[in-house]
Amino acid sequence: MQIRLRPLLMLFCAAGLCGAGLVRAQQSGQTETSSAQSTPTAASAQSVQMPEADNEAVSTSSSGRLQLVAAKSHWADLLREHIPEFASNAEAQNITPALIRRLRLDISNILTTEGYFSPQIQFDNPDQALAPASTNKIIHVTVEAGQRTIIENVSVKVQGPMADAIDAGDKAVTKRRRALQEDWGLAVGQPFRDADWSDSKNQLLESLRSDAYASASMTSSEAKIDADQHSGILQVEVDSGPVFTLGDLRVTGLQRYPSWLIERYQAPKKGEVYSRSRLLDFQRSLQNSAYFATVAVGIDPDPEKADAVPVDVTVVERQARDLSFGLGYSTNTGYRSEVAYRDRNILEQAWDLRSAVRLEQRRQLGYADIYLPPRESKFLDSFGVLVERENIAGVRSSRYALGIKRTSTRGHLEQRLGLNIVREKISPDGEAEEVNKALVASIGWTWRDVDQPFDPRKGQILQFDLAASEKALFSDQRFIRSYAKYQRWIPVRKTDTVILRAELGAVISKDEQGIPEDYLFRTGGSTTVRGYGYQTLGIQHIGSTRGGRVLATASAEYVHWLNSSWGAATFLDVGNAADNFRELNLKQGMGVGARYKTPAGPIALDLAYGRQTKKVRLDFSIAIAF
């Protein structure tokens, strides 16, 4: 028995599994049946013949329940899922020959979608003779799916300009054509499934349309099924259509900001070969900028426009100016209030001003940074000023800084170049006042590969920074500072996560005198070694903790999510800062905590025990913007 399926026309049933079409079955009697109608449960017929003898089991209408008898398998689950009469809570049915015929057809069609073209279906009622006429009978429906159809051969043919390029000896196109065949989803040796058959064809078209051949179309597809041999032959033919090259940008929605701003975000050049991923990168770059709330980038895949297809860019701009207020609390620095002002179009040149005044119990600061529009070379330049006062771990300090920075991002890697002028006045408890200044050049890299930017569950981040100051150039001390940080998120089960973190830092210098505290190391607090006060781990002086020239910390945390919002955590932290590694005595903190998910990431409330201090400390932070 041989069955030929034309999937673009064929119709399979089972509660929306399939659509209207044609199934042709060829047997020795050359029976042929077609259908163009559909019902909620059965929409097409095929002439694969099933035993009809057990129709006699119910020659007249009677009441009963249907019970599926089948081996535990994926197809048995499908039958129970998509045929209401097999549900565990199904009510008694009026059992008629018409119902039997419909169920037989439904079962057969569902199994056909999974590659079973020769099922055996039997209806019987062993309790019929014993049950009174008024009692609901149990009708057993025994199903044996039979042998599954396996793909014997796959033929993928390409026509159009792609075929012409192959004939002309284009090696790149020939390699791509070979990849299409190798990447075909429903490969030789796999069982036939209607869903996999459709997905494979869709993936083939999407592969062509995503790069160069935006108007590729399928001209024919056919699945030849030999039900007797349980084998299938798949034949697909596609027309690649012409190669699309990009034309001019057509921008709509741009009103506040200058038109040249679009070009600064890695805009595609006229004459480039069309690539969907290239346009998505461009769209993502615009979307991540400070200027646009929503962005859509695309083309019209009209073959008539293939030589220079316009790139349509539709944007919704952000407001040029924002004023915001915020309140917060942290066990590190106490209560907090903040006023922030942002202007994204300074001097009508799309210069982005970000400024704020933040008042905390232990720290107060004000800053203003201006970010210039990115250069076409992917550099983002900025400059700014900072004024900061704090009283932490017995050290009162005032810091003034002016800096410039250049940032570039390529894939997962971000690179930073900076130059800062820092002047600092510190007054440790019980010690004389100091004034330190430095001109510091810095370079840093951050490699990010996480599944979510604000609440990662899988991935890792590696950061490495170098900074240097020369005593002869507006600095009180010559030093080289290095710092590295590694974080990894490991998913466990369906929702839980293991979080690992490690930090290592060192300052090479004659001594720490003259080095601003910001370039030395202190640790302790909610994001470092929990169970110890904020920045209270370092070089201990009378009444204060000063920064050291070396740092080492590590942390392991397990987070178990109780539901979509709330979770519980347990953790172990170790770390300290010192003048050198020989004197480094790692402190230990351990404890439990609660987690609450927000759009900006989880809020953490941790109860930590400091092993060396033998004290319990609560670490918590929250911020509310309005």
Side-chain angles (χ1 to χ4, degrees), residues 291-464:
Y291 308 100
F292 307 110
T294 60
V295 181
V297 178
I299 66 167
D300 177 9
D302 183 352
E304 299 295 328
K305 303 175 182 178
D307 288 341
V309 61
V311 178
D312 295 315
V313 182
T314 303
V315 300
V316 176
E317 297 175 318
R318 296 185 187 275
Q319 294 289 337
R321 297 171 182 83
D322 293 329
L323 181 64
S324 61
F325 305 88
L327 296 174
Y329 174 78
S330 167
T331 50
N332 287 345
T333 55
Y335 292 100
R336 177 176 69 199
S337 63
E338 180 175 292
V339 179
Y341 174 73
R342 187 166 185 175
D343 189 335
R344 298 178 176 87
N345 202 14
I346 294 290
L347 302 178
E348 302 297 321
Q349 293 296 312
W351 290 13
D352 182 17
L353 168 65
R354 307 177 192 181
S355 60
V357 174
R358 182 181 302 165
L359 303 178
E360 298 173 289
Q361 285 181 284
R362 301 184 186 92
R363 179 171 59 188
Q364 303 82 44
L365 64 86
Y367 67 87
D369 294 321
I370 292 180
Y371 291 79
L372 306 182
R375 299 177 180 272
E376 293 186 18
S377 54
K378 303 180 182 179
F379 291 126
L380 180 63
D381 295 329
S382 63
F383 57 90
V385 61
L386 170 73
V387 178
E388 181 179 26
R389 298 177 183 272
E390 63 181 25
N391 185 356
I392 295 175
V395 178
R396 297 183 303 277
S397 65
S398 300
R399 184 163 64 100
Y400 309 90
L402 178 66
I404 59 175
K405 184 171 69 172
R406 166 168 286 185
T407 304
S408 63
T409 303
R410 289 176 175 83
H412 295 300
L413 184 65
E414 176 187 278
Q415 178 179 284
R416 300 171 299 277
L417 296 171
L419 185 65
N420 292 335
I421 300 176
V422 180
R423 186 181 186 276
E424 175 188 77
K425 181 172 68 174
I426 60 173
S427 301
D429 289 349
E431 298 182 44
E433 182 179 277
E434 299 178 18
V435 176
N436 303 314
K437 62 182 183 296
L439 175 63
V440 183
S442 63
I443 183 171
W445 299 268
T446 300
W447 182 71
R448 295 183 181 88
D449 185 13
V450 294
D451 55 349
Q452 301 178 63
F454 296 110
D455 183 18
R457 185 166 180 265
K458 180 181 180 181
Q460 48 197 332
I461 296 177
L462 176 62
Q463 177 185 343
F464 181 68

Side-chain angles (χ1 to χ4, degrees), residues 76-315:
D77 294 338
L78 281 176
L79 295 180
R80 292 187 178 94
E81 179 182 357
H82 294 288
I83 298 180
E85 288 81 0
F86 292 154
S88 59
N89 60 349
E91 297 180 356
Q93 302 289 318
N94 189 27
I95 308 299
T96 65
L99 176 63
I100 297 293
R101 287 193 294 271
R102 177 175 66 79
L103 289 175
R104 187 185 299 280
L105 184 62
D106 289 353
I107 294 169
S108 178
N109 283 339
I110 292 175
L111 291 176
T112 297
T113 66
E114 294 298 304
Y116 300 97
F117 290 89
S118 303
Q120 298 296 320
I121 306 168
Q122 182 178 351
F123 292 78
D124 63 86
N125 178 23
D127 302 325
Q128 183 175 11
L130 301 177
S134 59
T135 302
N136 292 333
K137 295 181 286 295
I138 302 297
I139 306 298
H140 289 175
V141 184
T142 304
V143 178
E144 295 182 3
Q147 189 172 338
R148 200 171 193 181
T149 297
I150 302 299
I151 303 303
E152 183 180 282
N153 188 41
V154 177
S155 173
V156 179
K157 296 182 179 180
V158 178
Q159 295 179 331
M162 187 177 190
D164 296 338
I166 294 173
D167 293 339
D170 191 316
K171 293 183 179 180
V173 178
T174 301
K175 182 179 179 180
R176 186 177 179 191
R177 165 65 184 83
R178 189 181 306 115
L180 291 176
Q181 180 79 43
E182 294 173 352
D183 294 341
W184 172 261
L186 192 53
V188 172
Q190 293 184 357
F192 177 86
R193 291 185 69 248
D194 184 59
D196 294 341
W197 171 228
S198 298
D199 289 345
S200 297
K201 291 184 292 183
N202 290 335
Q203 291 171 9
L204 174 65
L205 282 179
E206 286 303 302
S207 179
L208 282 170
R209 291 172 179 171
S210 66
D211 191 6
Y213 303 101
S215 63
S217 61
M218 188 159 293
T219 55
S220 68
S221 66
E222 188 174 41
K224 297 179 180 179
I225 305 298
D226 189 330
D228 291 331
Q229 299 298 320
H230 311 292
S231 64
I233 296 176
L234 307 181
Q235 295 179 344
V236 176
E237 191 172 280
V238 294
D239 187 338
S240 68
V243 173
F244 278 67
T245 56
L246 302 180
D248 296 323
L249 297 180
R250 297 193 303 198
V251 182
T252 58
L254 197 64
Q255 297 176 347
R256 296 186 181 92
Y257 305 112
S259 58
W260 52 259
L261 186 62
I262 299 292
E263 299 284 348
R264 294 289 187 91
Y265 286 92
Q266 306 171 38
K269 303 300 182 183
K270 187 174 182 179
E272 281 188 40
V273 175
Y274 165 75
S275 167
R276 182 183 298 166
S277 62
R278 174 71 174 90
L279 295 190
L280 286 175
D281 288 343
F282 174 47
Q283 176 178 305
R284 190 178 300 110
S285 181
L286 288 172
Q287 185 71 69
N288 292 339
S289 74
Y291 308 100
F292 307 110
T294 60
V295 181
V297 178
I299 66 167
D300 177 9
D302 183 352
E304 299 295 328
K305 303 175 182 178
D307 288 341
V309 61
V311 178
D312 295 315
V313 182
T314 303
V315 300

Side-chain angles (χ1 to χ4, degrees), residues 2 33 73 196 209 247 288 378 404 416 430 432-433 471 487 493 532 574 619:
Q2 191 177 66
T33 304
S73 62
D196 294 341
R209 291 172 179 171
N288 292 339
K378 303 180 182 179
I404 59 175
R416 300 171 299 277
E433 182 179 277
K471 194 171 183 179
Q487 286 182 278
R493 299 179 180 176
Y532 300 85
V574 298
D619 286 305

